[in-house]
Every structure is written in C-alpha cells, then in structure tokens.
C-alpha cells in the first residue's frame, strides 16, 4: 500500500529558485520539503560561475535585504568582486562576483540542511496532485506526499533536450536526466506550455591556456561584499582574462553552420536575445571582426575555465577548432563542450502577482519555468513564492512588491502582466524608478518588510535601525553646520572647486560634483559615530553622499512614484466581468480577461490596453464599489 507523508509546503527543485523558496518558507515557521533529483547538485551554477552584474546585483541585494540567502552564499564562495559602471551614476552601479562553483553548492546546501523545519529529499516528482481547483500534494516515483501548497522551481529540466551539433539527447542539464512526467502533469492541470532555449560555452583546461597574450581583469581591492551581513571576504582572489574571436574564428563558424542545430531548424525554442550564441553573433553582426571572450575561473582548486562569450551548440570537433583559432587558446583542450538546451516553460500571464497559479489554489511557480533566464531572476522569484506560500497557509495578506519599491517588483510585474516569448533578463532600463531602486539602498527600501515577514532577526533589524539613524543624523548635521570662506576656500582650491563668498553649509558643498564625503569629513569630522563595528562605515558615508548629491532627482522620482502609487492602489475585484463595461473593444476585453489584472496600474501596462480603456475601467471599478456586480 502507498504510504502518505504530509508537509505544509513542497518545493520541487533545489536550484536557485527552489533553495530561496524553501529557506524562506521554513524561516516563516511552516514545514517544508524540497525535492531534488540529485543532492550533490543543490544550488548548482549550471551556466557561468558568477552572480550579479548589471541590474542583476540589484535583485541579489534585494533578496539579501528581505532575508534571503543568495548574497551570503555568494560572499562565502566569491573569488573575485568588482563594482561595474563606477564611472556612471549610482543608479547603474552593479556588483559582479566570480564564484567558486563547488563552494557555492557547499554553502547553499549547508544553508538548507541547517534550516529547522526543512527536509531535503532525493526523489523525482512525476505529478502534481489537484482536487478541484486546490493543490493537495505531489506524486514521486516512490510515494505520495501531501501538502497545503506546492512550489514548482524546475529550471531547464521540463522535457529538457540537449543539442550538440546535429545530435540531441534528453537531459535537464549535462549529466542529469530531464523531468518528463511533471511537464505532462502541468499540461493536464490546465497550464499553457511553451518552449524556450538557452545555451552554454565550452569549458577549457587551464594547462592549455596562454594567459600572457590576454588582457587581465583584477577584482576590486578590498573586495566589496554582495551581502549586507558579510564582514570579511576570506577566499583568495583570482583574476579573469579577456581575449577575442577573429576573422578566422568567424570563418570556421560560417563554414560549419550546416551542422548548427539552431540554423538547420532542429531547435524550435526561442533563445535569449541578450545572451546569443557565437553563431548568432557572427550572423547578426557581420560587420564586426571580433567578439570579446571573458575567461572565468571555475574555482580555487579547479583547472577549468568558463569561456564567457562563445556559447555554442556546434559539433565538438568544430568547437575545438574555433577555440584554437583564438589568441591564447591555440593549444587549449576542451574539457566539456558547449551545448544548447530546449525546455518547457509556463506562460507567466497565467500567474497572479504572488506567482500563484490563477486557476489552482496553492500552486506557485518560480524561476526559469516562468520564462526567465539567470540565477538572480530565479532566486528572486523563489523568495517571493516561498514568502507567499507561507503567508497563504497562515491566512495572511499576500506579499507583493510594486515597481516603485524593488527590481523584484518590476520583474514579477513584467512577467505576469506582459508575459514573455523569449528568456526574460533584467536590465536597469526596465525600471522606471531606477534612481530610487539603487543597489546601495536595498536595505533602506526593504529590510523593514523582511523583518515584518519574520525573515530578518531582531538583532539584525536593530543594527539596520542604527545605520538608518546614523545616515539621517549625519545629513542633518551637514545641513546645519556652516563653514566660513577663509577656512574652507584654501581646501576648495586644492580640490579644484570654486571658492565661496559667504558662509555655506557642508551640505551645499557636498552637492558639488568634485567634492566627496571624504573631503567633507576632513573639513569637519562627523560627531555621529560613523564607525561602530557592526556597521560598515563606508556604507553610511556612501548613503550620505548619494542622498545629498542626487536629492533633486530622487525627490522628483519619489513624487512620480507617489502619483503612480495612487492608480496601483485601485484594486480590481477578483472575478470582475469586463464585458459589462460599455465602450471596451472585444480585443481589449480579451486582453483583460487573459491577464486578470490585480489593479488599475497593472491593467494599464497590458500591451494594447489604451488610456481610454483604463479610464472606462476606472469608472466601472468605482461604480462596482457603490453597486457591486453579480460576479
């Protein structure tokens, strides 16, 4: 007889989405089981060995501020830390961390195993069990498990098909089996499924690489941690290297296109526009004579290098030829060939802003199954599903971040409102309020929310409150403290700044582009104790400087966000009947019925829904409040 086991929440998959989901739920006090096909691959970095980068570090730091795990694990595994775009404004600063793959897996697994209320099971989930419109568990190859909520975070494993040249084989990623039954189960319970594609480049043996002819890229010293909670980076730091393809490389690729599954029509799934294969780049940018390749170490004790920039699914022998045509790689050995992988995904407009399925209570989806690409996007969704699944069980209000509050809010709103037909990737340009949503102020925006959810401890929250108070006190001091021309003008002259003619506040001086906070501190040191051991003083100083220099821009964006917030707060009743609204076209009614927007703001962002339609909808919603429809 089949035996049953019961949990509050079951998480399917232990990649970046599944790990964050499981940890968050368990920390909120519910019982959780996370299922994986292989315990040794928990937190596996399937593609490049790096976390963060442009816009993506914003997501990681938001996860961190809310009480998630990715940033802390990244710091423990990090072997190179670098802030990108430092010459530009703070809205686009981004931290990128090279990580040791093995260490990342080790520390993420430790985080799961040390979390009370969380069990890990190496079993293959074949079916999601649903009664009516309510999820009630899963069936694995071994047994049935009951649950009040289920989170599906399967990455590229749903009907995964790997392509190398004209050959292909079923796999979730190289060396691991795909999930076939689960994809069928999702179709059977009413999801519309699509097909996407991604890829990875060859890995090379370090012994055959000549780094002397390549450009070198060192990390920042001292390494800037990804997590707010990290005091010190302990791993040895390693450089990355830069080389380029050339006309001979491109000729090899063009001569072998007939063997490319992408160009021979074998691959049907749509690939990521912003992370194309080298075949794509050579075809699309024929005027370019070279493309950059970034060689990234796989780990401290690893002899493998990841060749970022030459993702390919050409045959193995062609991959060797194209690699050896590149400067510094003439004698390189390909340890693992690159490949393309096709996989099933669920169209994300079938989800609520909580990432719960609209038609099945208690079923949540997170990560690449929702059409995204990237560890960071997956982890962000995992955290939100873990939070909302626990809140649902506790019968508490759902947790939804607005576009003006977090990049996580932008990510999820884009997915559930606009959908995607290609792997979605986060960019700073996707955020309307990116000056408010900087990576440096994630804690100021979100830590209180994490504390209220129970994901941030009392001790950590008190340290945060102290930091916030220090920033406010120091800005107040700068505004009130004034200096005389005869005292400050000699200093301003040395800094290349124009002299003042009358007394000026330190705040006014700091607004000057050429003046930094460190200069102000030399003129008049702080009396607010900016160096307590539990708070990084440079974080406080950076906040004081950014908030001062960009005050006008920040205030304007805050005003815009407040106006935007008013339309976001106008909720649309669940089950609202759009066809009853006079003046709406059939096309717009269909779009509204398909997305079922949560509020008027979300409705306004549905492609094809006009401002006139929003005005009509607003009137109808107000009328419904006075005389409710029979829904």
């Amino acid at each position: 007889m089949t035996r049953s086991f019961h949990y509050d929440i079951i998480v399917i998959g232990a990649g970046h989405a599944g790990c964050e989901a499981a940890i968050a739920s368990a920390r909120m006090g519910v019982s959780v089981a996370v299922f994986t096909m292989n315990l040794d691959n928990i937190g596996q970095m399937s593609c490049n060995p790096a976390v963060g980068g442009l816009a993506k570090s914003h997501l990681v730091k938001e996860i961190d501020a809310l009480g998630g795990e990715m940033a802390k694990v990244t710091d423990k595994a990090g072997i190179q830390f670098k802030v990108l775009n430092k010459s530009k404004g703070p809205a686009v600063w981004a931290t990128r961390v090279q990580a040791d793959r093995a260490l990342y897996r080790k520390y993420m697994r430790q985080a799961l195993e040390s979390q009370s209320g969380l069990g890990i099971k190496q079993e293959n989930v074949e079916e999601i069990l649903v009664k009516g419109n309510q999820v009630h568990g899963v069936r694995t190859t071994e047994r049935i498990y009951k649950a009040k909520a289920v989170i599906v975070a399967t990455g590229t494993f749903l009907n995964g098909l790997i392509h190398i040249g004209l050959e292909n084989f079923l796999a979730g990623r190289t060396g691991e089996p795909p999930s076939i039954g689960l994809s069928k189960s999702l179709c059977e319970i009413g999801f519309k499924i699509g097909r996407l594609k991604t890829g990875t480049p060859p890995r090379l043996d370090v012994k055959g690489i000549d780094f002397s002819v390549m450009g070198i890229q060192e990390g920042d010293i001292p390494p800037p941690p990804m997590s707010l909670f990290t005091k010190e980076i302990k791993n040895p730091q390693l450089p990355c290297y830069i080389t380029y393809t050339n006309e001979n490389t491109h000729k090899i690729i063009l001569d072998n296109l007939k063997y490319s599954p992408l160009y021979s029509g074998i691959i049907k799934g749509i690939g990521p526009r912003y992370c194309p294969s080298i075949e794509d780049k050579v075809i699309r940018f024929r005027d370019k004579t070279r493309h950059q390749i970034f060689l990234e170490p796989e780990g401290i004790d690893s002899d493998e290098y990841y060749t970022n920039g030459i993702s390919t699914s050409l045959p193995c022998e062609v991959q060797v030829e194209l690699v050896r045509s590149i400067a510094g790689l003439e004698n390189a050995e390909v340890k693992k060939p690159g490949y393309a992988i096709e996989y099933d995904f669920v169209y994300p407009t079938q989800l609520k802003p909580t990432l719960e399925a609209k038609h099945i209570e208690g079923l949540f989806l997170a990560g690449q199954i929702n059409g995204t690409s990237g560890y960071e996007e997956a982890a962000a969704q995992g955290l939100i599903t873990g939070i909302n699944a626990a809140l649902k069980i506790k019968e508490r209000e759902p947790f939804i971040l607005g576009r003006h509050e977090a990049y996580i809010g932008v990510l999820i709103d884009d997915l559930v409102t606009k959908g995607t037909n290609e792997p979605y990737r986060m960019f700073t340009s996707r955020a309307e309020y990116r000056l408010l949503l900087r990576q440096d102020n994630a804690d100021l925006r979100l830590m209180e929310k994490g504390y209220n959810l129970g994901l941030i401890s009392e001790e950590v929250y008190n340290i945060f409150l102290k930091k916030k108070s220090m920033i406010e006190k120091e800005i107040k001091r700068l505004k009130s403290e004034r200096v005389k021309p005869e005292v400050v003008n000699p200093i301003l002259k040395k800094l290349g700044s124009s002299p003042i003619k009358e007394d000026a506040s330190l705040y006014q001086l700091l607004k000057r582009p050429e003046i930094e906070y460190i200069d102000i501190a030399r003129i008049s040191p702080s009396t607010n104790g900016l160096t307590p051991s539990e708070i990084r003083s440079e974080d406080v100083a950076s906040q004081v400087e950014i908030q001062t220099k960009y005050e006008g821009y920040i205030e304007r964006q805050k005003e815009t966000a407040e106006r935007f917030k008013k339309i976001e707060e106008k909720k649309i009743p669940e089950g609202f009947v759009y066809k009853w609204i006079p003046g709406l076209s059939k096309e717009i009614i269909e779009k509204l019925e398909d997305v079922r927007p949560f509020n008027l703001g979300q409705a306004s962002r549905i492609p094809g829904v006009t401002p006139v339609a929003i005005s009509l909808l607003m009137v109808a919603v107000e009328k419904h409040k006075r005389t409710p429809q029979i829904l």
Side-chain angles (χ1 to χ4, degrees):
M1 187 174 75
T2 304
R3 191 179 167 200
S4 288
F5 297 81
H6 190 277
Y7 295 90
D8 288 322
I9 296 172
I10 285 173
V11 180
I12 306 171
H16 303 283
C19 288
E20 294 291 350
I23 291 170
S25 293
R27 284 178 180 163
M28 291 175 69
V30 297
S31 62
V32 182
V34 59
F35 287 80
T36 176
M37 290 183 175
N38 189 338
L39 290 171
D40 295 330
N41 288 335
I42 289 171
Q44 173 76 302
M45 306 179 89
S46 304
C47 198
N48 64 316
V51 173
L54 304 181
K56 290 170 173 281
S57 66
H58 293 66
L59 293 171
V60 180
K61 287 177 178 286
E62 289 174 357
I63 292 166
D64 192 48
L66 287 167
E69 204 64 25
M70 176 174 261
K72 293 192 279 289
V73 172
T74 297
D75 286 345
K76 290 177 182 177
I79 54 177
Q80 188 193 96
F81 295 73
K82 193 172 185 67
V83 177
L84 310 177
N85 279 344
K86 197 65 178 172
S87 62
K88 299 180 181 179
V92 293
W93 292 350
T95 304
R96 187 177 191 273
V97 182
Q98 294 295 143
D100 182 306
R101 283 186 197 277
L103 288 179
Y104 193 95
R105 287 197 308 270
K106 172 187 173 183
Y107 289 120
M108 187 57 82
R109 180 169 175 174
Q110 282 181 3
L112 265 70
E113 290 178 336
S114 62
Q115 178 59 53
S116 61
L118 196 164
I120 308 171
K121 298 187 178 295
Q122 183 173 288
E123 291 186 46
N124 183 23
V125 176
E126 295 283 352
E127 183 182 3
I128 295 167
L129 304 177
V130 175
K131 283 184 179 177
N133 67 340
Q134 174 71 50
V135 73
H136 72 99
V138 301
R139 181 181 60 79
T140 72
T141 49
E142 306 293 327
R143 56 181 67 88
I144 286 173
Y145 292 86
K146 299 288 182 67
K148 298 172 186 175
V150 172
I151 298 170
V152 186
T154 48
T156 60
F157 278 73
L158 292 182
N159 274 338
L161 183 67
I162 284 180
H163 297 267
I164 303 176
L166 301 182
E167 297 181 2
N168 54 65
F169 53 92
L170 293 169
R173 57 184 167 219
T174 185
E176 294 187 69
S179 177
I180 305 297
L182 191 55
S183 189
K184 181 183 176 186
S185 176
L186 288 166
C187 288
E188 289 174 345
I189 59 178
F191 282 104
K192 182 184 175 187
I193 303 286
R195 196 85 168 142
L196 291 177
K197 166 249 171 188
T198 189
T200 190
R203 274 69 158 178
L204 308 182
D205 191 322
V206 67
K207 293 188 289 293
I209 301 174
D210 180 5
F211 294 113
S212 67
V213 300
M214 299 181 185
I216 187 169
Q217 185 175 79
E218 303 278 3
D220 293 345
I221 300 297
M226 186 70 85
S227 174
L228 296 157
F229 308 100
T230 300
K231 302 300 180 191
E232 181 186 4
I233 302 299
K234 297 182 179 179
N235 290 331
Q237 300 296 286
L238 302 179
C240 295
Y241 297 88
I242 297 172
T243 185
Y244 297 88
T245 63
N246 52 57
E247 291 181 350
N248 185 32
T249 312
H250 300 179
K251 184 178 184 302
I252 292 167
I253 291 166
L254 292 170
D255 288 347
N256 288 281
L257 272 184
K258 58 182 175 289
Y259 302 116
S260 165
L262 188 63
Y263 283 91
S264 61
I266 295 174
I267 290 179
K268 305 299 182 187
I270 300 170
R273 185 191 314 181
Y274 304 103
C275 189
S277 67
I278 187 62
E279 297 98 290
D280 258 347
K281 286 192 279 191
V282 169
I283 293 293
R284 284 163 53 186
F285 308 107
R286 285 182 180 266
D287 56 326
K288 291 195 70 170
T289 57
R290 67 178 195 170
H291 294 282
Q292 181 178 285
I293 301 168
F294 199 57
L295 267 70
E296 306 174 28
E298 297 262 332
I300 297 167
D301 298 320
S302 174
D303 61 357
E304 287 182 30
Y305 268 75
Y306 179 92
T307 53
N308 193 337
I310 52 172
S311 176
T312 182
S313 55
L314 287 165
C316 294
E317 61 274 14
V318 178
Q319 292 189 36
V320 171
E321 189 180 359
L322 78 86
V323 163
R324 290 181 177 175
S325 70
I326 296 165
L329 304 180
E330 293 86 352
N331 299 307
E333 293 291 336
V334 174
K335 294 195 76 171
K336 297 173 185 173
Y339 62 84
I341 182 167
E342 286 186 285
Y343 56 94
D344 289 347
F345 82 106
V346 169
Y347 288 98
T349 52
Q350 299 168 93
L351 305 176
K352 301 175 185 177
T354 57
L355 296 180
E356 182 183 20
K358 290 174 180 174
H359 67 292
I360 299 175
E361 288 280 323
L363 181 59
F364 297 79
L365 276 66
Q368 279 185 281
I369 191 173
N370 291 338
T372 60
S373 118
Y375 308 146
E376 303 84 359
E377 288 89 344
Q381 293 171 73
L383 178 69
I384 296 302
T385 57
I387 290 170
N388 278 310
L391 290 175
K392 190 175 187 72
I393 288 167
K394 291 170 175 280
E395 298 183 347
R396 288 170 56 187
E397 285 294 307
F399 181 68
I400 299 170
L401 289 167
R403 297 180 73 89
H404 63 292
E405 294 178 299
Y407 270 80
I408 295 174
V410 174
L411 164 70
I412 293 175
D413 183 66
D414 278 355
L415 291 174
V416 302
T417 304
K418 301 173 184 177
T420 187
N421 58 4
E422 63 183 37
Y424 177 101
R425 179 181 177 185
M426 181 52 73
F427 295 100
T428 53
S429 59
R430 295 192 192 272
E432 303 92 321
Y433 308 105
R434 54 184 173 273
L435 191 52
L436 300 181
L437 309 182
R438 306 181 310 274
Q439 71 161 20
D440 62 84
N441 69 352
D443 58 336
L444 298 176
R445 291 184 279 118
L446 299 173
M447 189 167 282
E448 184 175 355
K449 295 179 187 293
Y451 173 71
N452 291 335
L453 289 165
L455 296 175
I456 296 291
S457 70
E458 191 79 34
E459 179 187 3
V460 168
Y461 187 61
N462 286 334
I463 293 171
F464 159 73
L465 291 177
K466 188 180 292 186
K467 173 185 172 180
K468 188 178 177 182
S469 174
M470 287 164 60
I471 294 166
E472 291 168 354
K473 285 180 181 177
E474 183 62 3
I475 289 176
K476 186 177 180 181
R477 180 186 80 89
L478 296 182
K479 286 181 176 179
S480 63
E481 190 169 325
R482 304 181 72 82
V483 288
K484 296 183 178 298
E486 61 268 25
V487 173
V488 79
N489 280 344
I491 300 171
L492 294 178
K493 185 178 179 181
K494 287 181 182 178
L495 295 170
S497 190
S498 58
I500 59 173
K501 295 179 181 178
E502 55 187 34
D503 291 4
S505 71
L506 296 175
Y507 193 76
Q508 287 172 305
L509 294 179
L510 185 53
K511 279 184 172 290
R512 297 184 175 194
E514 66 276 12
I515 305 292
E516 297 180 1
Y517 178 79
I518 193 170
D519 302 316
I520 298 294
R522 290 188 185 117
I523 295 168
S524 175
S526 171
T527 57
N528 289 317
L530 289 188
T531 56
S533 59
E534 71 268 29
I535 300 172
R536 297 198 294 253
S537 59
E538 63 269 23
D539 290 350
V540 176
S542 176
Q543 276 307 305
V544 170
E545 183 167 335
I546 290 169
Q547 290 185 32
T548 301
K549 287 189 182 299
Y550 294 91
E551 179 190 28
Y553 299 104
I554 290 170
E555 287 306 313
R556 281 199 290 275
Q557 281 211 348
K558 281 182 178 177
E559 289 169 9
T560 305
E562 280 302 313
R563 291 196 299 271
F564 162 83
K565 192 176 167 187
K566 290 177 182 176
I567 191 170
E568 292 293 315
E569 289 172 349
K570 292 187 182 294
K571 306 293 184 190
I572 299 173
E574 194 170 339
F576 193 84
V577 183
Y578 296 99
K579 66 182 179 181
W580 289 355
I581 302 175
L584 285 188
S585 69
K586 184 179 179 182
E587 179 188 3
I588 288 176
I589 289 170
E590 286 175 354
K591 288 177 182 291
L592 291 167
E593 290 286 357
D594 181 50
V595 174
R596 304 293 319 173
F598 192 67
N599 54 43
L600 287 173
Q602 186 185 3
S604 71
R605 293 186 294 275
I606 299 171
V609 175
T610 64
V612 172
I614 294 301
S615 297
L616 293 171
L617 178 56
M618 189 181 300
V619 170
V621 169
E622 288 300 320
K623 185 178 177 182
H624 172 81
K625 286 181 182 177
R626 296 190 298 271
T627 55
Q629 299 168 326
I630 300 171
L631 302 177

